[in-house]
Amino acid sequence: MARRPQTIPRSAADRAAAEPVARTGNPVDLSPLPDRVGYVLRRAQLAVFKDFNRTCAEYDIRPAQYSVLTVIENNPGLKQIEISTALGIKRTNLVALLDLLEQRGLARREPVPSDRRSYALFLTSKGKAFMDRVHSSVARHEDNVNGALGDKGREQLLHLLNRILDKIGPAPGEDEV
Amino acid sequence: MARRPQTIPRSAADRAAAEPVARTGNPVDLSPLPDRVGYVLRRAQLAVFKDFNRTCAEYDIRPAQYSVLTVIENNPGLKQIEISTALGIKRTNLVALLDLLEQRGLARREPVPSDRRSYALFLTSKGKAFMDRVHSSVARHEDNVNGALGDKGREQLLHLLNRILDKIGPAPGEDEV
DNA sequence: TTATTTTGTTATGATATATAACATTTCGGG
DNA sequence: CCCGAAATGTTATATATCATAACAAAATAA
């Protein structure tokens, strides 16, 4: 793994071996990647998340955390399994996420008398106030994205992405959790 | 962190406290997430990558690895910094990626006589053969995606995603690496 | 009752992304 | 030419996601 150890002076013979190729600028041929949906999708998603993080930096909240808080906000009393299913997060990965939100005092787990295995999730009053403030930052973020797309483009994009979600589901047989 | 310790039987009083709310199925209200570009983009990207991994399972290759191999294939002799810039990967993160590809015997670093700091990157013959085989699997994956979108939809999608990439770049002032 | 399933949890691993710091080398200005 | 600045690859490290296996407790089905 130590490919470049402390000091290994390369020989003059080495230096004379291969020709320079001299790739100066960056006219790198990315083909066929820019025509691959997956590649462009990934880069666009990263750009959008980066804008989200930038716009909401003052609140130190990640997109995944925001989505969880939003679902709790609109569906108070949900169980963890319901949130994880709805958001496509494995229930095993939701645990740490909720731990964090609970530690920050934004959400709380509450025992469910009717099912002592599960917890009902709620925003704390602090969490509600927090979301009230975050929503406006997220709106600004959305404006950035919509500004790039236009209303029509945004609708088209959502429609196309939903087609992907509908048709590129889990493998035939390999279902869910 | 041990929220559910060994044995803490909840009292009958607890059991009588709050009402059930009885959220049975999963009519979870996700709004406004399904209208947020970032959210839908993320879910679609995950679905597409999952299909990539499924379709290319026999080759045990990740999208990022495939993109690096593709760039090397089409631009033999590139330096690491050029690849990382072209693909938007931090040069610091490309190291382990290339270590892996080298360990698998698919790519190799070659000293550049004209610049002893950098390495020129090439596919090995094994790497070339590997890519020849992988390309057909990736083509099948692309067919899956295109089947969901249609040719027209695919073009529209790429166009819209590129609009995002063009306009939602790095923050004004915060530039690159 | 007993066997199975569900729910939340822990532990763990793989992948991606990010920053800071470093050695070596290259390059530009004096 | 020398010297400081920049470039290149590297290590170390932290965080965020996503994934699987295994478990305890509770609910459910048989």
Side-chain angles (χ1 to χ4, degrees):
Chain A
M1 198 72 85
R3 198 169 317 98
R4 181 188 271 169
Q6 298 303 34
T7 292
I8 294 191
R10 289 162 197 163
S11 71
D14 276 346
R15 221 160 301 140
E19 61 278 84
V21 181
R23 298 200 165 274
T24 53
N26 26 328
V28 178
D29 177 20
L30 285 180
S31 66
L33 299 182
D35 283 318
R36 295 280 162 78
V37 172
Y39 174 77
V40 184
L41 202 50
R42 173 61 168 162
R43 301 219 44 173
Q45 183 260 305
L46 282 184
V48 169
F49 270 30
K50 198 170 285 190
D51 184 82
F52 180 100
N53 288 326
R54 194 188 309 140
T55 308
C56 302
E58 56 181 315
Y59 300 112
D60 188 34
I61 185 148
R62 247 44 63 198
Q65 298 169 3
Y66 172 75
S67 70
V68 169
L69 288 175
T70 295
V71 172
I72 298 179
E73 185 180 40
N74 291 315
N75 307 266
L78 274 193
K79 299 189 298 179
Q80 294 180 203
I81 188 70
E82 292 170 314
I83 291 189
S84 64
T85 300
L87 288 177
I89 301 173
K90 291 232 170 354
R91 73 187 193 285
T92 186
N93 290 326
L94 184 62
V95 176
L97 239 169
L98 283 175
D99 286 346
L100 189 70
L101 296 178
E102 234 181 359
Q103 283 166 28
R104 289 180 65 175
L106 301 177
R108 69 186 149 79
R109 292 165 161 108
E110 189 169 296
V112 175
S114 60
D115 185 344
R116 298 191 309 171
R117 292 171 303 179
S118 54
Y119 295 98
L121 299 168
F122 299 93
L123 294 193
T124 62
S125 52
K126 179 181 174 185
K128 290 175 190 171
F130 180 80
M131 287 300 277
D132 285 343
R133 277 178 287 129
V134 172
H135 280 316
S136 76
S137 283
V138 174
R140 278 194 295 130
H141 157 68
E142 280 291 306
D143 287 346
N144 291 342
V145 178
N146 293 347
L149 293 172
D151 284 353
K152 197 170 184 176
R154 180 175 163 284
E155 292 306 319
Q156 280 183 356
L157 179 57
L158 290 177
H159 177 250
L160 291 166
L161 294 176
N162 278 313
R163 270 214 316 244
I164 290 179
L165 285 172
D166 290 342
K167 303 210 180 180
I168 311 282
E174 165 212 328
D175 230 68
E176 303 291 320
V177 186
Chain B
M1 199 70 85
R3 200 168 318 98
R4 181 187 272 170
Q6 298 303 34
T7 291
I8 295 190
R10 289 163 199 161
S11 68
D14 277 347
R15 221 160 303 141
E19 61 278 83
V21 181
R23 296 198 166 277
T24 53
N26 28 330
V28 177
D29 177 20
L30 284 181
S31 67
L33 299 182
D35 284 318
R36 294 279 162 79
V37 172
Y39 174 76
V40 183
L41 202 49
R42 173 60 168 165
R43 302 223 37 178
Q45 183 261 305
L46 282 184
V48 170
F49 270 30
K50 197 169 285 190
D51 184 82
F52 180 101
N53 288 326
R54 194 188 310 141
T55 309
C56 303
E58 56 182 315
Y59 300 112
D60 189 32
I61 186 152
R62 244 47 60 199
Q65 298 170 1
Y66 172 76
S67 70
V68 169
L69 289 175
T70 296
V71 171
I72 298 179
E73 184 180 41
N74 291 316
N75 307 266
L78 274 193
K79 299 188 299 180
Q80 293 180 203
I81 188 70
E82 292 170 314
I83 290 190
S84 64
T85 299
L87 288 177
I89 300 174
K90 293 238 168 349
R91 73 187 192 286
T92 187
N93 289 327
L94 184 62
V95 176
L97 238 169
L98 283 175
D99 286 346
L100 189 71
L101 296 177
E102 236 181 358
Q103 283 168 27
R104 289 181 64 174
L106 301 176
R108 71 185 193 309
R109 290 164 162 110
E110 189 169 297
V112 175
S114 60
D115 185 345
R116 297 190 308 172
R117 291 170 303 180
S118 55
Y119 295 97
L121 299 169
F122 301 93
L123 293 193
T124 62
S125 53
K126 179 179 173 185
K128 290 174 190 171
F130 180 79
M131 287 301 277
D132 285 342
R133 277 178 287 128
V134 172
H135 282 315
S136 75
S137 282
V138 174
R140 278 194 294 129
H141 157 67
E142 280 290 308
D143 286 345
N144 291 343
V145 178
N146 293 347
L149 293 171
D151 285 353
K152 195 171 187 176
R154 180 175 162 284
E155 292 307 319
Q156 281 184 356
L157 179 57
L158 289 177
H159 178 250
L160 291 167
L161 294 176
N162 278 314
R163 276 224 300 254
I164 290 179
L165 285 172
D166 290 342
K167 303 209 179 179
I168 311 280
E174 163 212 332
D175 231 67
E176 304 292 318
V177 188

